[in-house]
Amino acid sequence: MRSISNIMVYIIAILLFACSADSDNAEETLASYIKNKSIEKGGVIACAASDKDSEDILTFYYPEEGAVNIRYYETETIQVDNNDYSNYKQMEFPKSPVFNGYLGKFTHNASHEKWMIVTFELEGDIKISNPIRSKQISKPTVWNDEVVIDQSQSTMPVFNWINNPVGDNAIYFQVVTDVQNNLLSGTYTYENNFQYYNTSNVVLNVTRDTPPGLIIDNTYNFTLMDVSEDNWVNWVVEKTFQVQ
């Protein structure tokens, strides 16, 4: 009887371990994480680019004030339904601040392309980015400084860049920072130009406060991201300039 009892205990332990393992695996998926919870699809602004100095993928996101539990999910390949959240598993990759924490980014290396999603929690909701298609192999991000800065209107420079330079453009993201890399303005346009600080052609604005006026002879930085419909950054411009 004792041996039968021991066998039963052993079987129960195996079953409990198996159930626990299944539960752990289920928790890795985005579908399991959001099950029976309030969600907002498209609630996280995010995109990704290949790094200019390495083979890493940089997944950028805009964390709204108060955002907590920021997570990164990815599929195993691109040959899956990118709208099926059960295909996305959470991954623990290093994250770091961009523009002194105004944005954030996850950094990792991958030998193949995939779909990626960033989530965070805010005021009781789980906000979910649109799927991001990595193209670090098929269409690596081009980094350059190709922007024309027209300063004919003092302290209100106009930035002009090549329209849809490598194809597949959906929107442009522009950032102006000071010499300490603090973000002064963050805007999106469909047009290939932006004036600091004129929002007449801005279609999305992530600038939290009224931007300060630029100071003559001070140095600033301009960053541009050419983003595709599937949220891959085709082209990045980085340019330092002195205000006239």
Side-chain angles (χ1 to χ4, degrees):
M1 292 293 294
R2 182 176 297 174
S3 61
I4 293 175
S5 176
N6 289 341
I7 290 172
M8 291 300 296
V9 169
Y10 180 72
I11 292 173
I12 291 171
I14 291 175
L15 291 173
L16 288 173
F17 176 80
C19 291
S20 175
D22 287 344
S23 176
D24 289 343
N25 288 336
E27 286 297 319
E28 292 178 354
T29 70
L30 178 53
S32 177
Y33 171 50
I34 66 174
K35 187 177 180 180
N36 299 324
K37 296 177 182 176
S38 176
I39 66 171
E40 181 186 345
K41 294 183 179 181
V44 179
I45 299 172
C47 61
S50 51
D51 188 80
K52 61 180 176 180
D53 299 318
S54 70
E55 296 180 354
D56 287 340
I57 298 174
L58 311 176
T59 305
F60 300 97
Y61 58 89
Y62 170 61
E64 295 182 54
E65 291 184 294
V68 296
N69 197 15
I70 301 169
R71 297 186 176 197
Y72 169 95
Y73 290 84
E74 66 177 31
T75 63
E76 291 187 3
T77 70
I78 58 170
Q79 280 80 35
V80 297
D81 180 355
N82 64 321
N83 291 310
D84 182 350
Y85 292 155
S86 67
N87 290 322
Y88 291 85
K89 288 189 176 181
Q90 183 184 5
M91 304 296 289
E92 297 289 343
F93 291 134
K95 65 176 185 285
S96 55
V98 180
F99 304 129
N100 292 332
Y102 205 98
L103 303 183
K105 69 178 178 183
F106 289 94
T107 302
H108 75 284
N109 193 277
S111 60
H112 58 279
E113 298 182 350
K114 61 191 74 178
W115 291 97
M116 304 169 287
I117 279 178
V118 177
T119 71
F120 58 67
E121 297 177 22
L122 182 66
E123 298 177 349
D125 292 336
I126 298 176
K127 294 180 178 283
I128 305 170
S129 75
N130 291 323
I132 306 164
R133 165 71 151 85
S134 74
K135 300 177 185 176
Q136 76 277 14
I137 299 170
S138 59
K139 197 173 188 179
T141 305
V142 177
W143 295 72
N144 61 82
D145 62 356
E146 296 181 21
V147 59
V148 175
I149 305 176
D150 178 358
Q151 300 204 61
S152 57
Q153 187 173 351
S154 183
T155 70
M156 293 186 67
V158 179
F159 305 93
N160 294 275
W161 55 89
I162 301 170
N163 191 36
N164 199 19
V166 294
D168 196 28
N169 169 263
I171 201 167
Y172 298 107
F173 177 47
Q174 311 91 30
V175 171
V176 176
T177 62
D178 62 19
V179 72
Q180 287 83 31
N181 211 31
N182 296 307
L183 188 145
L184 305 182
S185 76
T187 51
Y188 287 81
T189 67
Y190 293 133
E191 299 176 359
N192 59 320
N193 62 83
F194 169 72
Q195 181 177 28
Y196 187 96
Y197 183 66
N198 181 347
T199 59
S200 60
N201 68 339
V202 171
V203 295
L204 177 62
N205 197 339
V206 296
T207 310
R208 293 175 186 153
D209 302 311
T210 301
L214 302 184
I215 300 173
I216 292 177
D217 293 333
N218 277 15
T219 298
Y220 298 88
N221 304 303
F222 176 76
T223 303
L224 170 77
M225 294 186 183
D226 170 340
V227 186
S228 67
E229 187 174 354
D230 49 17
N231 299 301
W232 179 250
V233 178
N234 300 312
W235 209 61
V236 176
V237 171
E238 294 179 313
K239 184 80 168 183
T240 298
F241 66 98
Q242 189 173 41
V243 171
Q244 299 174 9

